[in-house]
Amino acid sequence: MAKTDLIDSHVSAKQCTRAVHALHAYALKKQKEQEENELLPSNEQYVWLQITVKRMHPEHKIKPFKMYVSLLFNGCTIVTFPSPLKHPLIDPRVTPICLITKDPQREYKDLLESHKIKFISRVVGITKLKGKFKSYEARRMLLKENGMFLADERVIPLLPGLLGKKWFDAKKQPIPVCLTRKDLKGELERAIESTYMHQNRGTCTSVKIGLLSHASEKVLDNIKISLPAIVNNIKGNWDNVQSLHIKTNSSISLPIWTCELGGATGGRWDGMVQSKDTFEESNQMKILIPTIQTWIRRNSCRKCRLARKPLNEIVEKSVTPKEVKQKRSTEGAEKKKAKIVKGGPTRSAKGALIGKKPGRP
């Protein structure tokens, strides 16, 4: 395949286009089903790029990675700069944007007015976040009313405890911005138009690369811009990437690239050697597993072996409280009858000494 047909010299542009067309067909089918059964329209769905790595990242970072593009000359990096997506995911004219700042809140409102920034819908300070939006209902309304959250990079470490897990479940984590820059308007515009990778400790990470309403050409343009920057932020770069998929919020993931599943250079098991401790443990387990299975077979179902019935034939019947009471009363009546048959009620030791007849006070 020609290099012009490959994204970052690895991913087939043709395969990406086919996957996006399949996602559009699936979404159209689901949309028709929802229109027949639901009255309210569903929310806009994103197209996600799902990255699976071979080795897990050692730490979890609160601040996301902003996608940067490197300017190369003769194979050497000259400068790196933020690269907004060619087709942004957020439109400030339609989607409200909230900015979380340090205290005092009024100072930053005046700062936005002095720079003639009008695409920020709401400014919330830390004090107001602790007071007015302390209750769960107020935070839920704040989350619902705004489509994107920006935050001063100096208060980012405080926000997970103040906002709660609902922000992370809704994939609306606050994006860090620097409010002390001279070109504040450009900083906020680049933050809104960019996409971000939230690094976790697992082997799978998802990045927003488009909207389902975008044409396949627009999604492909965003993949071409974001994929090199995403791989550069992964430890080991392409050597550590196992597979790439694209999906929507509710669809299955469709593969667009996978590494070789072998031990060759660049393969799944390249550079991975089994340690001696792991080898010895696996050998011990091979010896222990048959022994454990034999013990379970001999001791776990003794009742079945005595009755000579298979396990599926033994079904314990549930007993109601009424049946338990009847059973106890029947057993008590049988014990009384047994005493009468043997010779009636016997005297107690004290009654025998004082000469009282049994049954009298």
Side-chain angles (χ1 to χ4, degrees), residues 328-345:
R328 288 179 180 176
S329 61
T330 305
E331 290 176 354
E334 290 176 353
K335 287 181 181 179
K336 288 181 180 180
K337 289 179 181 179
K339 288 181 181 180
I340 294 171
V341 171
K342 288 180 180 179

PDB file of all heavy atoms in Angstrom, residues 328-345:
ATOM      1  N   ARG A 328     -43.289 -28.596  63.925  1.00  0.00           N
ATOM      2  CA  ARG A 328     -42.915 -28.558  65.346  1.00  0.00           C
ATOM      3  C   ARG A 328     -44.061 -29.020  66.245  1.00  0.00           C
ATOM      4  O   ARG A 328     -43.851 -29.755  67.218  1.00  0.00           O
ATOM      5  CB  ARG A 328     -42.485 -27.143  65.727  1.00  0.00           C
ATOM      6  CG  ARG A 328     -41.129 -26.754  65.160  1.00  0.00           C
ATOM      7  CD  ARG A 328     -40.771 -25.349  65.554  1.00  0.00           C
ATOM      8  NE  ARG A 328     -39.468 -24.961  65.017  1.00  0.00           N
ATOM      9  CZ  ARG A 328     -38.945 -23.745  65.141  1.00  0.00           C
ATOM     10  NH1 ARG A 328     -39.644 -22.792  65.776  1.00  0.00           N
ATOM     11  NH2 ARG A 328     -37.759 -23.486  64.632  1.00  0.00           N
ATOM     12  N   SER A 329     -45.278 -28.585  65.904  1.00  0.00           N
ATOM     13  CA  SER A 329     -46.428 -29.004  66.724  1.00  0.00           C
ATOM     14  C   SER A 329     -46.660 -30.511  66.600  1.00  0.00           C
ATOM     15  O   SER A 329     -46.991 -31.189  67.579  1.00  0.00           O
ATOM     16  CB  SER A 329     -47.675 -28.229  66.298  1.00  0.00           C
ATOM     17  OG  SER A 329     -47.981 -28.495  64.933  1.00  0.00           O
ATOM     18  N   THR A 330     -46.457 -31.064  65.410  1.00  0.00           N
ATOM     19  CA  THR A 330     -46.599 -32.506  65.210  1.00  0.00           C
ATOM     20  C   THR A 330     -45.557 -33.272  66.013  1.00  0.00           C
ATOM     21  O   THR A 330     -45.864 -34.286  66.658  1.00  0.00           O
ATOM     22  CB  THR A 330     -46.468 -32.852  63.719  1.00  0.00           C
ATOM     23  OG1 THR A 330     -47.412 -32.082  62.983  1.00  0.00           O
ATOM     24  CG2 THR A 330     -46.739 -34.328  63.489  1.00  0.00           C
ATOM     25  N   GLU A 331     -44.320 -32.799  65.992  1.00  0.00           N
ATOM     26  CA  GLU A 331     -43.263 -33.459  66.763  1.00  0.00           C
ATOM     27  C   GLU A 331     -43.549 -33.388  68.257  1.00  0.00           C
ATOM     28  O   GLU A 331     -43.318 -34.356  69.000  1.00  0.00           O
ATOM     29  CB  GLU A 331     -41.914 -32.803  66.449  1.00  0.00           C
ATOM     30  CG  GLU A 331     -41.413 -33.087  65.052  1.00  0.00           C
ATOM     31  CD  GLU A 331     -40.124 -32.349  64.757  1.00  0.00           C
ATOM     32  OE1 GLU A 331     -39.702 -31.535  65.618  1.00  0.00           O
ATOM     33  OE2 GLU A 331     -39.535 -32.577  63.676  1.00  0.00           O
ATOM     34  N   GLY A 332     -44.073 -32.248  68.736  1.00  0.00           N
ATOM     35  CA  GLY A 332     -44.412 -32.134  70.170  1.00  0.00           C
ATOM     36  C   GLY A 332     -45.521 -33.085  70.558  1.00  0.00           C
ATOM     37  O   GLY A 332     -45.473 -33.721  71.632  1.00  0.00           O
ATOM     38  N   ALA A 333     -46.536 -33.208  69.701  1.00  0.00           N
ATOM     39  CA  ALA A 333     -47.636 -34.138  69.999  1.00  0.00           C
ATOM     40  C   ALA A 333     -47.145 -35.578  70.037  1.00  0.00           C
ATOM     41  O   ALA A 333     -47.556 -36.375  70.893  1.00  0.00           O
ATOM     42  CB  ALA A 333     -48.734 -33.966  68.951  1.00  0.00           C
ATOM     43  N   GLU A 334     -46.235 -35.931  69.125  1.00  0.00           N
ATOM     44  CA  GLU A 334     -45.702 -37.293  69.110  1.00  0.00           C
ATOM     45  C   GLU A 334     -44.880 -37.586  70.368  1.00  0.00           C
ATOM     46  O   GLU A 334     -44.920 -38.697  70.913  1.00  0.00           O
ATOM     47  CB  GLU A 334     -44.845 -37.497  67.868  1.00  0.00           C
ATOM     48  CG  GLU A 334     -45.654 -37.537  66.568  1.00  0.00           C
ATOM     49  CD  GLU A 334     -44.772 -37.653  65.351  1.00  0.00           C
ATOM     50  OE1 GLU A 334     -43.530 -37.575  65.519  1.00  0.00           O
ATOM     51  OE2 GLU A 334     -45.307 -37.808  64.231  1.00  0.00           O
ATOM     52  N   LYS A 335     -44.142 -36.596  70.879  1.00  0.00           N
ATOM     53  CA  LYS A 335     -43.367 -36.798  72.110  1.00  0.00           C
ATOM     54  C   LYS A 335     -44.283 -37.015  73.313  1.00  0.00           C
ATOM     55  O   LYS A 335     -44.017 -37.856  74.187  1.00  0.00           O
ATOM     56  CB  LYS A 335     -42.470 -35.584  72.350  1.00  0.00           C
ATOM     57  CG  LYS A 335     -41.281 -35.511  71.392  1.00  0.00           C
ATOM     58  CD  LYS A 335     -40.433 -34.304  71.704  1.00  0.00           C
ATOM     59  CE  LYS A 335     -39.255 -34.224  70.738  1.00  0.00           C
ATOM     60  NZ  LYS A 335     -38.406 -33.025  70.996  1.00  0.00           N
ATOM     61  N   LYS A 336     -45.383 -36.262  73.370  1.00  0.00           N
ATOM     62  CA  LYS A 336     -46.339 -36.452  74.480  1.00  0.00           C
ATOM     63  C   LYS A 336     -46.946 -37.842  74.443  1.00  0.00           C
ATOM     64  O   LYS A 336     -47.100 -38.514  75.475  1.00  0.00           O
ATOM     65  CB  LYS A 336     -47.436 -35.390  74.409  1.00  0.00           C
ATOM     66  CG  LYS A 336     -46.960 -34.007  74.803  1.00  0.00           C
ATOM     67  CD  LYS A 336     -48.109 -33.010  74.728  1.00  0.00           C
ATOM     68  CE  LYS A 336     -47.642 -31.617  75.111  1.00  0.00           C
ATOM     69  NZ  LYS A 336     -48.738 -30.621  75.049  1.00  0.00           N
ATOM     70  N   LYS A 337     -47.332 -38.295  73.225  1.00  0.00           N
ATOM     71  CA  LYS A 337     -47.887 -39.638  73.096  1.00  0.00           C
ATOM     72  C   LYS A 337     -46.886 -40.693  73.531  1.00  0.00           C
ATOM     73  O   LYS A 337     -47.236 -41.689  74.185  1.00  0.00           O
ATOM     74  CB  LYS A 337     -48.314 -39.894  71.654  1.00  0.00           C
ATOM     75  CG  LYS A 337     -49.546 -39.104  71.219  1.00  0.00           C
ATOM     76  CD  LYS A 337     -49.892 -39.404  69.773  1.00  0.00           C
ATOM     77  CE  LYS A 337     -51.112 -38.607  69.318  1.00  0.00           C
ATOM     78  NZ  LYS A 337     -51.450 -38.867  67.906  1.00  0.00           N
ATOM     79  N   ALA A 338     -45.621 -40.494  73.200  1.00  0.00           N
ATOM     80  CA  ALA A 338     -44.582 -41.452  73.592  1.00  0.00           C
ATOM     81  C   ALA A 338     -44.443 -41.522  75.099  1.00  0.00           C
ATOM     82  O   ALA A 338     -44.262 -42.604  75.676  1.00  0.00           O
ATOM     83  CB  ALA A 338     -43.262 -41.050  72.948  1.00  0.00           C
ATOM     84  N   LYS A 339     -44.556 -40.404  75.804  1.00  0.00           N
ATOM     85  CA  LYS A 339     -44.460 -40.398  77.258  1.00  0.00           C
ATOM     86  C   LYS A 339     -45.633 -41.143  77.899  1.00  0.00           C
ATOM     87  O   LYS A 339     -45.479 -41.885  78.860  1.00  0.00           O
ATOM     88  CB  LYS A 339     -44.402 -38.966  77.783  1.00  0.00           C
ATOM     89  CG  LYS A 339     -43.086 -38.268  77.499  1.00  0.00           C
ATOM     90  CD  LYS A 339     -43.109 -36.863  78.070  1.00  0.00           C
ATOM     91  CE  LYS A 339     -41.788 -36.141  77.777  1.00  0.00           C
ATOM     92  NZ  LYS A 339     -41.795 -34.768  78.331  1.00  0.00           N
ATOM     93  N   ILE A 340     -46.827 -40.933  77.346  1.00  0.00           N
ATOM     94  CA  ILE A 340     -48.025 -41.601  77.904  1.00  0.00           C
ATOM     95  C   ILE A 340     -47.928 -43.102  77.707  1.00  0.00           C
ATOM     96  O   ILE A 340     -48.268 -43.904  78.583  1.00  0.00           O
ATOM     97  CB  ILE A 340     -49.298 -41.032  77.251  1.00  0.00           C
ATOM     98  CG1 ILE A 340     -49.464 -39.562  77.658  1.00  0.00           C
ATOM     99  CG2 ILE A 340     -50.526 -41.841  77.637  1.00  0.00           C
ATOM    100  CD1 ILE A 340     -50.557 -38.842  76.913  1.00  0.00           C
ATOM    101  N   VAL A 341     -47.434 -43.530  76.562  1.00  0.00           N
ATOM    102  CA  VAL A 341     -47.313 -44.965  76.289  1.00  0.00           C
ATOM    103  C   VAL A 341     -46.322 -45.617  77.242  1.00  0.00           C
ATOM    104  O   VAL A 341     -46.509 -46.733  77.718  1.00  0.00           O
ATOM    105  CB  VAL A 341     -46.889 -45.186  74.826  1.00  0.00           C
ATOM    106  CG1 VAL A 341     -46.529 -46.635  74.566  1.00  0.00           C
ATOM    107  CG2 VAL A 341     -48.022 -44.756  73.897  1.00  0.00           C
ATOM    108  N   LYS A 342     -45.263 -44.904  77.573  1.00  0.00           N
ATOM    109  CA  LYS A 342     -44.235 -45.460  78.465  1.00  0.00           C
ATOM    110  C   LYS A 342     -44.698 -45.542  79.919  1.00  0.00           C
ATOM    111  O   LYS A 342     -44.055 -46.164  80.734  1.00  0.00           O
ATOM    112  CB  LYS A 342     -42.977 -44.613  78.391  1.00  0.00           C
ATOM    113  CG  LYS A 342     -42.234 -44.798  77.063  1.00  0.00           C
ATOM    114  CD  LYS A 342     -40.986 -43.938  77.056  1.00  0.00           C
ATOM    115  CE  LYS A 342     -40.250 -44.114  75.733  1.00  0.00           C
ATOM    116  NZ  LYS A 342     -39.044 -43.270  75.673  1.00  0.00           N
ATOM    117  N   GLY A 343     -45.753 -44.888  80.306  1.00  0.00           N
ATOM    118  CA  GLY A 343     -46.214 -44.972  81.700  1.00  0.00           C
ATOM    119  C   GLY A 343     -46.644 -43.664  82.274  1.00  0.00           C
ATOM    120  O   GLY A 343     -46.722 -43.518  83.489  1.00  0.00           O
ATOM    121  N   GLY A 344     -46.947 -42.728  81.467  1.00  0.00           N
ATOM    122  CA  GLY A 344     -47.428 -41.450  81.924  1.00  0.00           C
ATOM    123  C   GLY A 344     -46.300 -40.543  82.332  1.00  0.00           C
ATOM    124  O   GLY A 344     -45.123 -40.909  82.314  1.00  0.00           O
ATOM    125  N   PRO A 345     -46.648 -39.353  82.733  1.00  0.00           N
ATOM    126  CA  PRO A 345     -45.638 -38.375  83.120  1.00  0.00           C
ATOM    127  C   PRO A 345     -44.896 -38.803  84.371  1.00  0.00           C
ATOM    128  O   PRO A 345     -45.482 -39.331  85.312  1.00  0.00           O
ATOM    129  CB  PRO A 345     -46.437 -37.092  83.343  1.00  0.00           C
ATOM    130  CG  PRO A 345     -47.829 -37.520  83.595  1.00  0.00           C
ATOM    131  CD  PRO A 345     -48.034 -38.780  82.836  1.00  0.00           C
TER     132      PRO A 345
END
